Amino acid sequence: MRARVIVRLKPGVLDPQGAAVEDALHTLGFTGASNVRVQKLIELDVDAADADACKLLVLEMADQLLRNPVIEDCGVEVLQ
Amino acid sequence: MSKSALNKLKDTDLTTSEHGQAVGLSLDEFERAVKLIGRVPNKVELGCIGAMWSEHCSYKSSRVHLKRLPSAGPRVLVGPGENAGVVDVEPGNPQGWAVAFKVESHNHPSYIEPYQGAATGVGGILRDVFTMGARPIAAMNLLRFGRVAHPKTPSLVDGVVRGIGGYGNCFGVPTVYSSAEFDAAYDGNVLVNAFALGVLRKDRIWKGNASGVGNPVMYVGAKTGRDGIHGATMASDSFSAGKESERPTVQVGDPFKEKLLVEACLELFERGAELLVGIQDMGAAGLTSSLFEMASRAGSGVVIDLDQVPARETGMTAYELMLSESQERMVLVAQAGKDDDVRAIFHKWDLDCTTIGTVSDDGVVRLRKDGVEVCVLPATPLADEAPRYERPFTAPARPEPLTRVDVQALKKNPIQIVLDVLLSPSTAPKTWIYKQYDREVGAGTLMDGTHAAAALVRIPETQIAVALALCCNSRQCSLDPHEGAVRAVVEGVARISAVGAVAVGVTDCLNYGSPLVPEQMGQLAAGVDGIAHACRVLEVPVVSGNVSLYNQTDDQSVLPTPAVGVVGVVDDLATVAPAMPLKAGDVLIRIGAPPTSLEGSFALWGKVGRKGALPVLDLAATSILCGFVRDLRRGGHVLDARPTLLGGLAQCLFDFARCADLSARATLPVDEDFFASFLGEERLCFVVAVDNQGVFDVQRRCADAGIASAVLGALGVSSSFRLQDSGGDVVFDRPFQKLVDDAEAVVPDLIASGRRRSA
């Protein structure tokens, strides 16, 4: 089963990379861009009986490795 | 009462003593606050009071003790109480160089989020230093981790070291010295103490003053977000297992922003008093502590419009703006009418710079948000009349001395005992750590902790150098908090003497357990006395520092760890030979009388229970010894020197050999005990490496000075590292290269074991 995980900084946590991208966009003339946040997208195949089991398993992976629970949260989507 | 009840309140809602508890105020303290301001505080005011009166900001448990530290001296230009201490490097030259330095803890944030916690610790201490007008030229750190076998240790070591390297390297300050040790007492509470030193002209020192009615108060640097709210309160509370979800968000640092900030500030300082009145960084308790402290120091007040504070997020309340600990921010007071000139400098460096208010003369901090006055608090009483506690404490019990049985057990297997010392994670080479630090940036590093007893950094474009070391033998402090603290100062002075420098100033970071536990408070009191006593005798003032309490998880407190940073000066580099490459045949001479017992030795730690009675160190004699070695170092024949410290003479000789990449062989003089002489730590001696022609000269100088000396052996005479007893019998003999490889592998293996465990 294919799963997709989005790992992002929790709201309120400073995102220096996002800020740098935003500044660069403004420099290029895209002055309308704001609130840029850079996120991480991970896709993987998982051996699981059904979508619920898959999601649980991936959340466990996220808590142990894919995200830093202190500053990041994540969303899991099962792609089938 | 949980924080959620407080969260439900609006900025101007009145609070109760139960809300007070949520910001860390006791019932008595809440009542004291009500009495002080003559009414019940609203939420914003309560937040400000809670932060200002937190242990972290107010030093309420330690202040009565800190007064005992000697902070005056002919070279002291700025003593404790400012952002950093400043010491004169060139007395006699009114426009000459001075150094600003300080050490600070970031223990609690680093335990929660090792990378960002350690990184922002470095960022904070760098700001403290450049706020004084100094350009940072050196950083160092003291780290204490739990035992190697603890599941969290590898990831904490990895994260903390990467965090320090990541911030320091990107900012562009060389990290030249690191003291990293491991013990089970730090399993649930690591220590991360960061030190920074900067150079400045002594007629250009800036302070955090908000003076001059009508002068604009300006906010510069990064925008304010919701990060790290309540950091100061967190650092003043102990952890308990299973509370993870309640922990506040930690801050994320941005070293590139800080680099812009230092350059912008230094450009502003160049323009001098024409533009600037006072400046202070925003550290713990953010805007709150900066505004209150700057107003309090000048005896003035400020009127602030919080709507002008650059915010990273929408809808931030006054409470959040005042308590955020977002990084890379400063507050400054400019000369009236010069706002535009100041703003031009910061805008040039791509930084936010906004006028947020003005200086007033009524001694009151007034904050407005959305046109409403949300806070009216007197500055001085809040900053200076924070509660001070004479916490009850009990004098630490002296542990029993070692018995004959303890020592006999050890002597059965001398080879293993020496190996245990040389291959312990605490004594093992920290190459893995140092490799992650840029030690050379700025091109001023002459020596660093990888190969010398202390770091030596040149002041740019001069022949003057600054020597630095950051030390603490926490195990000796746990046996005897007073004597251990004395020895932390002595270690620092000995290290910088070994590179030929004169000690000019000390900064200390006092890491202890809970001030509410009389035994732990007693350790703090004894530690302060020990530092004070040693600094008096060695005539070196304490010019800055920090106290970190509540270093405990549940009932487990850390070992008492007063980290002592000693700064020394070499006023003419031409007089001191930089550590020369040592060569085979160079002779190793021990200077000073050897230890005669194993009391307080690392070799016995964990093997005999809490035992070991450290004798009182003869400070006067130690001071003479350090001075003598410093002069020797300037002699020509002496190529390198090291004090005997953790692990005793055996470790010292091994470090000598390892750094020289030459094996060593040493034989004790007659009538010495192998164990006491090679592994004893009850007193300090030095080992110097001397070229063959210089041996007689060094021995004669020792004899003339009445200082004991003994030729122990030489470097590179064979391929084994060999220690022989007084009779010339070989007691320890190991292939040198194998021993070095094993020692070098200790720390990398520790990290690798963590990776395997999590895999």
Side-chain angles (χ1 to χ4, degrees), chain B residues 519-543:
Chain B
E519 289 76 19
Q520 290 168 24
M521 198 60 213
Q523 293 175 338
L524 170 71
V528 170
D529 283 336
I531 293 174
H533 174 56
C535 286
R536 276 210 182 84
V537 179
L538 301 173
E539 291 179 337
V540 48
V542 181
V543 297

Side-chain angles (χ1 to χ4, degrees), chain B residues 374-388:
Chain B
V374 293
C375 169
V376 183
L377 287 174
T380 302
L382 225 60
D384 291 1
E385 286 167 36
R388 280 173 210 193

Side-chain angles (χ1 to χ4, degrees), chain A residues 9-16 23 35 64 68 70-71, chain B residues 112-113 116 225-227 249-250 252-254 312-313 328:
Chain A
L9 289 168
K10 287 180 181 173
V13 176
L14 177 69
D15 179 6
D23 282 349
N35 291 321
Q64 286 189 29
N68 175 349
V70 180
I71 54 174
Chain B
I112 298 173
E113 183 4 64
Q116 295 296 347
R226 288 194 175 94
D227 36 6
T249 318
V250 295
V252 170
D254 182 351
R312 209 164 67 216
E313 295 163 65
E328 292 94 22

Side-chain angles (χ1 to χ4, degrees), chain A residues 14-76:
Chain A
L14 177 69
D15 179 6
Q17 195 182 356
V21 171
E22 186 168 319
D23 282 349
L25 287 172
H26 291 174
T27 310
L28 290 170
F30 298 104
T31 47
S34 62
N35 291 321
V36 178
R37 306 284 279 177
V38 175
Q39 311 185 344
K40 202 160 52 177
L41 189 146
I42 301 156
E43 286 191 356
L44 67 165
D45 287 330
V46 182
D47 268 341
D50 54 47
D52 285 347
C54 175
K55 197 167 176 177
L56 275 177
L57 206 58
V58 173
L59 277 173
E60 211 181 310
M61 293 177 198
D63 280 345
Q64 286 189 29
L65 181 70
L66 304 180
R67 73 171 179 133
N68 175 349
V70 180
I71 54 174
E72 293 170 328
D73 56 23
C74 73
V76 175

